[in-house]
Amino acid sequence: MTERLDEAVRGVDAARSEDPVWPGAWVTSRLGVRLVDGDRPAGAGLASMVGLAVRHNPRRAHLLVSAVLGKHVPTDPRLVYGSGLLLGELVRARLRDEATFVPSGPLKDALAGTPGAAAALRDALREPRPPADAIVLGYAETATALGHSVADALGGAYYLHSTRRPVPGFATYGGFEEEHSHATSHLLLPSDPVAFDRDVPLVLVDDELSTGQTVLNTISALHALRPRRHYVLAALVDLRDASDRARVDELAARLGTRIDAVSLARGRVELPYDVLEKGTRIVSELSAGSGGFADSVPAVEDAAFGVARVRLDWPNGVPDGGRHGFLPGHRTTLEKDLPRMADAVAAELGDGASRVLVLGFEELMYAPLRLAEALADASPGLDVRYSTTTRSPVLAVDDPGYAIRTRLAFPAHDDPADGPGERYAYNVAPAAARPPFDRIVFVVDDVGDTQALASGLVARLRALAPVVVVTVPSHRGDK
């Protein structure tokens, strides 16, 4: 891996434009939230990996907005996938008790937007490696594709992500809570519990480790069902302090197991004592002025742009993601079919497309990510970006120093078990002085492809650009 990454550094034009405003400066100046850099295992500092926004959440005022996750910020899909593969390589080294040296250039260049750097990072990490047997668990909703990418890097891993969607025909293996999340209940619904219920290393993947409490809950719950000798915590950023790390060590000693942790960047977030009060006040003030929680695009009866649909012919027997488990054989089949499916999407974009957003649907992150990546590879003339919708309400402020600049709100469209509610798509509508997307590809599973989608989110998207809807079959136990 090191040699290929060194080649990527040499092969990429190192010229960079002036540093833009950091998309966390607005929150720092008003809430007093500060990021403090720590170790840089992949060469990138904490502030280059995340920006900041303000949550509509009484338990946590700030939101770390990842520059490589592809959830809230439309991002080059090759950077998103490459970052997940890079995290997976750090996991592999820990599983094998090997030292890993990661050159500092590739990820930094890709984050800086250096032409060709994202693809070079991804390509360097796709070189075949001996498969590692492990179980990888990703957290819904933000880390479903990240966890899947880590499993891809390991080659021989079984992948499962938690879910907030109960599915008829699948029994719950276990559940746990995420204290600071907007919605807390996580379910595990493997179609083959035997594949999950093995004493091999369990890798738990999330976008951030803030206190580590979620992983403590998870390990405690799962270890009671199936003791394991080795756990690895993997996150894009690790913000835990010494007391947080001590709690993990104490749990490992109590359970008689080993718990390691890897991340692409480390540091800490410094919060003033009155951060929750300040956050609540800012949300109230901007909401009263129809600012941050106003829809960035008004509802329209007759949108200016049309809607097309693409029949993908999704490969038979391949799940749409890891909600019920994803095997190495599924991965092999999907890889073969991705170019064909990307070509079908590209053919529907029409002439004149230049800036394309591939938008995923809440937990459905991996399939849209891989389609976006394949589309970018097949169409070098297109600027392809990837992000997904979310349940989480976040303040939008159209300021270069703020990470969430625009917001679309729309009704839930998949008949969620916890009842109807609003859902959101951030940074999809153009911010001030930013170029708009001229095509939007929305990837949804068949459970979410409803009339509520057509009258809600799709109606919002049609006001911005021509929309292509791509529906993938959701694996269900009642079929």
Side-chain angles (χ1 to χ4, degrees), residues 362-433:
E362 296 185 28
E363 294 177 8
L364 184 69
M365 295 185 69
Y366 182 74
L369 169 61
R370 300 307 309 279
L371 282 171
E373 179 200 11
L375 180 63
D377 287 341
S379 309
L382 293 180
D383 178 11
V384 179
R385 302 286 155 153
Y386 156 81
S387 64
T388 71
T389 63
T390 177
R391 286 172 162 251
S392 301
V394 183
L395 186 75
V397 178
D398 196 358
D399 185 284
Y402 191 84
I404 303 293
R405 298 187 63 179
T406 66
R407 170 184 184 269
L408 301 181
F410 53 93
H413 51 87
D414 61 340
D415 190 23
D418 56 353
E422 270 195 334
R423 301 295 186 260
Y424 311 95
Y426 297 111
N427 293 315
V428 173

Side-chain angles (χ1 to χ4, degrees), residues 353-357 382-385 434-440:
S354 62
R355 195 162 190 265
V356 178
L357 173 65
L382 293 180
D383 178 11
V384 179
R385 302 286 155 153
R434 298 294 297 273
F437 293 107
D438 53 37
R439 301 290 190 280
I440 299 174

Side-chain angles (χ1 to χ4, degrees), residues 90-452:
L90 298 181
V91 170
R92 175 194 294 276
R94 194 56 57 93
L95 292 176
R96 298 170 65 91
D97 288 319
E98 297 175 346
T100 296
F101 169 71
V102 177
S104 62
L107 181 59
K108 289 172 63 177
D109 286 340
L111 284 164
T114 303
L121 171 70
R122 187 272 319 265
D123 292 345
L125 292 160
R126 294 178 74 177
E127 184 176 331
R129 303 290 305 280
D133 188 15
I135 294 167
V136 179
L137 175 63
Y139 286 92
E141 71 176 36
T142 55
T144 59
L146 177 63
H148 212 141
S149 303
V150 168
D152 286 356
L154 298 179
Y158 169 84
Y159 179 63
L160 181 76
H161 71 68
S162 66
T163 182
R164 297 188 178 101
R165 180 195 286 179
V167 182
F170 290 94
T172 302
Y173 181 91
F176 46 92
E177 299 295 311
E178 186 177 8
E179 276 73 11
H180 63 256
S181 175
H182 177 67
T184 57
S185 294
H186 291 249
L187 303 173
L188 298 182
L189 303 176
S191 60
D192 180 8
V194 174
F196 185 74
D197 195 21
R198 297 183 295 134
D199 184 15
V200 297
L202 177 61
V203 182
L204 301 104
V205 183
D206 210 349
D207 56 320
E208 67 178 76
L209 285 173
S210 51
T211 66
Q213 189 59 51
T214 298
V215 295
L216 292 179
N217 292 343
T218 309
I219 291 172
S220 297
L222 295 183
H223 200 82
L225 297 172
R226 151 62 78 178
R228 292 181 171 86
R229 288 168 286 181
H230 193 187
Y231 297 89
V232 179
L233 319 179
L236 295 173
V237 295
D238 186 346
L239 308 169
R240 295 173 300 152
D241 61 23
S243 63
D244 296 327
R245 297 173 191 274
R247 282 199 300 274
V248 175
D249 294 340
E250 290 165 4
L251 178 64
R254 187 165 72 250
L255 298 180
T257 190
R258 173 182 170 186
I259 305 175
D260 294 320
V262 298
S263 63
L264 298 188
R266 291 195 280 269
R268 70 179 189 273
V269 179
E270 292 185 345
L271 304 173
Y273 72 93
D274 57 350
V275 65
L276 292 177
E277 177 186 339
K278 287 180 177 178
T280 300
R281 185 169 60 249
I282 287 174
V283 167
S284 177
E285 290 173 354
L286 291 182
S287 300
S290 66
F293 284 98
D295 204 348
S296 299
V297 176
V300 290
E301 291 296 328
D302 297 309
F305 300 101
V307 178
R309 287 182 169 270
V310 170
R311 179 181 173 84
L312 276 189
D313 290 326
W314 187 260
N316 187 44
V318 175
D320 57 314
R323 180 178 287 118
H324 305 300
F326 201 94
L327 298 167
H330 295 144
R331 187 172 301 115
T332 300
T333 302
L334 179 62
E335 292 283 353
K336 292 177 181 177
D337 280 83
L338 278 170
R340 170 186 61 78
M341 293 189 288
D343 287 345
V345 174
E348 198 58 54
L349 296 178
D351 296 334
S354 62
R355 195 162 190 265
V356 178
L357 173 65
V358 178
L359 183 65
F361 161 49
E362 296 185 28
E363 294 177 8
L364 184 69
M365 295 185 69
Y366 182 74
L369 169 61
R370 300 307 309 279
L371 282 171
E373 179 200 11
L375 180 63
D377 287 341
S379 309
L382 293 180
D383 178 11
V384 179
R385 302 286 155 153
Y386 156 81
S387 64
T388 71
T389 63
T390 177
R391 286 172 162 251
S392 301
V394 183
L395 186 75
V397 178
D398 196 358
D399 185 284
Y402 191 84
I404 303 293
R405 298 187 63 179
T406 66
R407 170 184 184 269
L408 301 181
F410 53 93
H413 51 87
D414 61 340
D415 190 23
D418 56 353
E422 270 195 334
R423 301 295 186 260
Y424 311 95
Y426 297 111
N427 293 315
V428 173
R434 298 294 297 273
F437 293 107
D438 53 37
R439 301 290 190 280
I440 299 174
V441 179
F442 182 59
V443 183
V444 63
D445 61 24
D446 52 17
V447 174
D449 190 4
T450 62
Q451 181 56 43

